[in-house]
Amino acid sequence: MAITKSSSILIVGAGTWGCSTALHLARRGYTNVTVLDPYPVPSAISAGNDVNKVISSGQYSNRKDEIEVNEILGEQAFQGWKNDPLFQPYYHDVGLLMSACTSAGLDRLGVRVRPEADPNLVEMSRPEQFRDLAPAVLKGDFPGWKGYFLRSGAGWAHARNALVAAAREAQRLGVKFVAGSPAGRVITLIFENNDVKGAVTADGKIWRAEQTILCAGASAGQFLDFKDQLRPTAWTLVHIALKPEERALYKNMPVIFNIEKGFFFEPDEERGEIKICDEHPGYTNMVRSQDGKLQSLPFEKTQVPLESEKRVRALLRETVPQLADRPFSFARICWCADTANREFIIDRHPQHKSLILGCGASGRGYKYLPSIGSLIVDAMEGKVPEKVHDLIKWSPEIASDRNWSDTLGRFGGPNKVMDFHDVKEWTNVQHRDISKL
């Protein structure tokens, strides 16, 4: 059946990619779009429900052809942050420091930045260079730090507010959101005649659709057998609240990012809190399914392991030591779904012809909020360029005999993938409800 602008389209998941897809469907004139999610927008478990995310047009791949495609996709997203009136207000072009401490970390950094190609990149190797990025607050010794400062064309976006803006605009253009109740919680996709014909929600309602788009983030594997292509992996973040008289000192500070230690941002304007993430290859929650397969199952938690707290405080002592012993005002684990090669899976399913996949953000999906939905709609319409499709297609062969402990080129902490079953102690930070709208 040919797709028309009035075709019934069901999006499973109202996180970053689901909201972006809803927006782009509406902008292209599709008039019968419904989004289902168990949480209100922004979802309490969406990685996009956050005060800030690093934004740059940089790439993450190793091979030349992968770099080329990722640069195209990254530039499309970055142009959206800079020029789309919907997203422009949430982007802050404050610059980005990318650094490392070991030879392995610096080698990895060399894959991600090419100083000879970008006059905005400044090489950094001395402690005073790092302190000069924000002299009023960066008072640490930066021991062993080396890297590059991207003076412009990078920074951060207010993640939650931009995500909410995308959802609201999609609603204004006619998209129906059913979220925050059993009516939005998908129990199963409808598998029929070797195809997917919609979904069933917890209230028993059957949502039939001509096209179903799966954008369920780390939970996507609960609805479809991904043949080991997805590994839900979690990261850890905390906030420290600044005193009102301190906040101006940190304003417009660049993003400080060490790919082996962690990263932090200037305080958000709403609460005056600095967000800090300790860097590591991630946590899994590996369990065996009834048929004996190993899988990582995501769960919601607004605390972080005590070992994560120690890593955060070590990062602060090297950079902003005056904050190193401050209490945390917020903490949470944040889930994403890693593919075997950290490339996205955006494709029409080869066996289920009415199912489109927007999955496998691999810890780098948020910055594509302005544009990723356009690519997912292109996949539905059969318009993805061949070179791009080859990189993001359904590829179970890449995940055969998958090593669930693969660090995927990430560093930090013990330099290995950890598992929550081994965590003995957690923080005890006051809980905060992060859903709104």
Side-chain angles (χ1 to χ4, degrees):
M1 185 186 295
I3 302 170
T4 68
K5 297 299 184 186
S6 60
S7 294
S8 55
I9 301 171
L10 189 67
I11 301 173
V12 178
T16 302
W17 287 17
C19 286
S20 181
T21 302
L23 174 67
H24 282 277
L25 283 167
R27 283 180 166 180
R28 291 196 196 182
Y30 288 92
T31 59
N32 190 2
V33 180
T34 303
V35 184
L36 301 176
D37 197 286
Y39 291 91
V41 180
S43 162
I45 61 168
S46 168
N49 186 356
D50 199 352
V51 287
N52 35 40
K53 296 285 189 189
V54 178
I55 301 298
S56 72
S57 59
Q59 50 72 33
Y60 286 75
S61 301
N62 292 307
R63 295 202 335 253
K64 188 171 184 286
D65 55 338
E66 293 174 353
I67 289 172
E68 185 179 342
V69 170
N70 275 287
E71 283 183 339
I72 293 168
L73 298 180
E75 187 58 31
Q76 287 173 351
F78 190 66
Q79 289 304 316
W81 287 113
K82 282 205 308 183
N83 301 317
D84 189 323
L86 184 64
F87 298 107
Q88 200 177 28
Y90 306 105
Y91 171 62
H92 301 258
D93 197 278
V94 294
L96 168 65
L97 170 69
M98 295 170 287
S99 56
C101 294
T102 68
S103 57
L106 290 165
D107 285 347
R108 177 67 178 171
L109 208 58
V111 172
R112 292 172 59 165
V113 297
R114 294 201 297 283
E116 72 282 355
D118 192 340
N120 272 318
L121 273 175
V122 180
E123 194 164 354
M124 314 276 286
S125 59
R126 301 189 313 277
E128 59 269 24
Q129 288 178 292
F130 295 103
R131 288 193 288 266
D132 283 346
L133 295 176
V137 294
L138 295 177
K139 300 178 182 298
D141 293 333
F142 293 87
W145 286 47
K146 291 185 173 66
Y148 304 91
F149 177 53
L150 188 54
R151 289 180 290 199
S152 63
W156 63 276
H158 195 300
R160 179 183 303 127
N161 289 355
L163 179 57
V164 169
R168 283 188 173 142
E169 179 65 4
Q171 283 176 314
R172 189 187 72 79
L173 293 171
V175 174
K176 180 181 181 183
F177 280 77
V178 181
S181 69
R185 183 160 69 89
V186 172
I187 299 298
T188 181
L189 299 179
I190 300 171
F191 291 92
E192 198 174 273
N193 298 327
N194 204 30
D195 201 354
V196 169
K197 295 295 186 181
V200 180
T201 45
D203 61 349
K205 183 166 181 177
I206 295 169
W207 298 82
R208 298 193 74 84
E210 293 168 62
Q211 302 290 312
T212 302
I213 304 178
L214 185 59
C215 291
S219 300
Q222 297 173 33
F223 304 110
L224 180 75
D225 182 0
F226 274 84
K227 313 288 186 188
D228 293 340
Q229 289 177 92
L230 298 185
R231 181 190 71 189
T233 310
W235 282 270
T236 39
L237 67 89
V238 301
H239 293 186
I240 289 176
L242 297 180
K243 298 165 187 167
E245 62 270 21
E246 294 177 307
R247 295 172 188 176
L249 294 173
Y250 292 80
K251 189 169 177 57
N252 295 324
M253 175 184 73
V255 180
I256 305 299
F257 188 8
N258 185 306
I259 67 170
E260 298 173 276
K261 308 238 172 160
F263 54 96
F264 56 92
F265 304 80
E266 67 176 301
D268 74 295
E269 291 181 352
E270 291 175 13
R271 289 178 173 266
E273 295 182 340
I274 281 190
K275 185 187 96 175
I276 313 107
C277 298
D278 57 313
E279 190 70 10
H280 50 74
Y283 285 89
T284 55
N285 179 40
M286 300 303 292
V287 297
R288 285 203 181 272
S289 61
Q290 289 182 330
D291 58 3
K293 286 189 70 174
L294 264 180
Q295 57 182 337
S296 177
L297 284 183
F299 59 94
E300 180 187 354
K301 195 171 183 73
T302 48
Q303 302 293 340
V304 297
L306 279 190
E307 61 199 29
S308 170
E309 175 175 2
K310 290 175 183 172
R311 292 190 290 262
V312 165
R313 296 197 183 283
L315 168 66
L316 295 176
R317 282 188 196 97
E318 295 188 5
T319 53
V320 281
Q322 66 274 21
L323 300 181
D325 297 313
R326 295 273 185 99
F328 296 157
S329 54
F330 177 69
R332 76 178 280 216
I333 59 173
C334 180
W335 290 92
C336 200
D338 276 332
T339 61
N341 59 359
R342 289 193 72 187
E343 300 298 345
F344 305 148
I345 301 173
I346 298 174
D347 200 6
R348 185 174 288 280
H349 194 286
Q351 277 78 50
H352 309 305
K353 296 300 185 185
S354 302
L355 177 65
I356 295 90
L357 306 168
C359 306
S362 299
R364 61 188 185 93
Y366 181 85
K367 75 175 186 178
Y368 297 91
L369 172 65
S371 62
I372 198 73
S374 181
L375 184 60
I376 293 169
V377 179
D378 282 348
M380 184 186 80
E381 295 178 345
K383 293 179 178 175
V384 178
E386 185 177 358
K387 187 182 286 189
V388 178
H389 179 256
D390 285 346
L391 194 59
I392 61 175
K393 66 184 179 183
W394 173 266
S395 304
E397 67 279 1
I398 294 174
S400 62
D401 300 318
R402 182 164 183 183
N403 172 14
W404 295 114
S405 299
D406 188 348
T407 63
L408 297 171
R410 299 188 182 104
F411 298 90
N415 287 316
K416 67 177 184 180
V417 175
M418 299 163 282
D419 192 273
F420 284 124
H421 291 103
D422 299 323
V423 173
K424 301 292 189 283
E425 294 180 282
W426 294 77
T427 54
N428 186 24
V429 180
Q430 186 174 354
H431 175 75
R432 180 192 302 167
D433 183 1
I434 58 171
S435 285
K436 67 175 187 178
L437 188 83

